[in-house]
Amino acid sequence: VMENEGIPAAEYEPYADKFKPKPNAAGDWAKLARRAGMKYMVMTTKHHEGFCLFDSKLTTYCATKRGPGRDLVREYVEAARAEGLRFGFYYSLMDWHHPDGARCMKDEVSRRRFVDYIHGQVKELMTNYGKVDVLWYDVPWPLDAKGWESVEMNTMVRKLQPDIIINNRSKIPEDFDTPEQRIEASANRPWESCMTLNDSWGYHISDRNWKSPTTVIRNLITCARDGGNYLLNIGPTEDGSIPPESAQILSTVGDWMNKHGDTIRLSDNCQPRRGNYVSYTRKGNTLYAHVFYWPGETVVLANFLNKVSSVKMHGASTPVKFEQDDFRVRLTGLPTKAPELVTTFEIECDSEPRQNQELKRAEKPRETKY
């Protein structure tokens, strides 16, 4: 909002004194995360506008010294631990509030001052909250890795947090890639897609373009199939409450994860890709076919190179009837209506499931009519 509406820092800053989040908002976040089947959380500790949700000794523009009057990051850490979740810290390198945030690009004295400030806050985050699992940098404008002294900064981080993983947004690759608002697997690198639950990163009262539970599950399956993680953003309201739509969507996803979460968390990279209505994950020789557009009483899976020995709906013991020829596996005798939002079949194969993705149909010569 500060950027989109061109709000000067001096005009924006007084809102920090009106910011009064309700008690234990983070507890609600952590409970919903666990309910949805998530295993870790990442909190925005400082976004581009520069306000720190943690107790920083380097600025008065922070939660302990302004409206909240308390350390919101500590509340989040305690809430995540109480629910058995791992946690990480998002931290924006860009800072519109700090007077050197833009000047550092052209003035060495400003750069030195600003980089010391940023390194100091990262050190606070890595020092004051016990073991931290993830450090999630964002937006390194206006400096490059040398200007930020990113190697030195992350060396300090790893000395303080030996088991931490660090993302790729401090202008050096570090541990994992972060495609944003898209699912894009990295080659031979860990990766995590960060996406919004609607179209807004923060809370937006008019943004009703919510992802359906089916879409969230499909995205999660796609990430798991290609060996990646899914970091799904929620924008709380002004007092830290979760929008009811977010809670409803994630609770529905959680119902599915309670039954089928092992097909996600235990998945190996999967060579079979997807059809028009199905996507896959696998564990060893077991293929999980996730059908998100239900075709009716028969489900057809094409171009498998393996011999199938058995099929059942995941989580059920009753066998599913099937036929296999050179081109297709046909699952028959199914309900007319989809049993679940995303129905998952467990297919046992004679070896690691593979799909011929290069089959080409013979085409007749094209006729041109004048």
Side-chain angles (χ1 to χ4, degrees), residues 125-127 130-132 156-164:
L125 288 169
M126 296 298 105
T127 302
K131 186 177 185 295
V132 180
M156 175 264 292
V157 167
R158 295 190 190 280
K159 184 176 180 181
L160 294 170
Q161 297 285 345
D163 297 324
I164 202 166

Side-chain angles (χ1 to χ4, degrees), residues 82-95:
E83 296 299 326
L85 300 169
R86 297 196 180 205
F87 66 87
F89 296 149
Y90 166 111
Y91 181 83
S92 173
L93 296 170
M94 178 167 62
D95 192 314

Side-chain angles (χ1 to χ4, degrees), residues 39 52 84 88 127 158 186 197 214-215 222 227 242 250 265 272 280-281 343 369:
K39 292 296 185 181
C52 303
T127 302
R158 295 190 190 280
S186 298
L197 195 53
T214 302
T215 296
T222 303
I242 299 167
L250 292 178
R265 300 191 191 99
Y280 303 100
T281 55
T343 302
K369 294 183 179 180

Side-chain angles (χ1 to χ4, degrees), residues 57-100:
K57 307 302 181 188
L58 302 177
T59 181
T60 60
Y61 199 47
C62 64
T64 53
K65 299 164 188 171
R66 304 304 284 265
R70 62 191 204 267
D71 188 336
L72 302 180
V73 169
R74 185 167 301 282
E75 293 180 11
Y76 152 78
V77 168
E78 291 173 353
R81 287 182 178 142
E83 296 299 326
L85 300 169
R86 297 196 180 205
F87 66 87
F89 296 149
Y90 166 111
Y91 181 83
S92 173
L93 296 170
M94 178 167 62
D95 192 314
W96 299 326
H97 180 264
H98 195 288
D100 295 316

Side-chain angles (χ1 to χ4, degrees), residues 93 137-151 153-154 166-174 176 178 189:
L93 296 170
Y137 292 117
D138 199 14
V139 187
W141 184 91
L143 301 174
D144 58 14
K146 182 179 179 181
W148 285 115
E149 300 176 21
S150 295
V151 171
M153 179 167 61
N154 292 345
I166 303 174
N167 77 339
N168 63 333
R169 296 196 181 187
S170 60
K171 290 287 189 176
I172 51 179
E174 291 297 355
F176 65 100
T178 54
R189 288 251 313 157

Side-chain angles (χ1 to χ4, degrees), residues 277-290:
Y277 58 83
V278 64
S279 191
Y280 303 100
T281 55
R282 76 170 180 95
K283 182 61 179 176
N285 294 348
T286 303
L287 182 70
Y288 301 107
H290 306 276

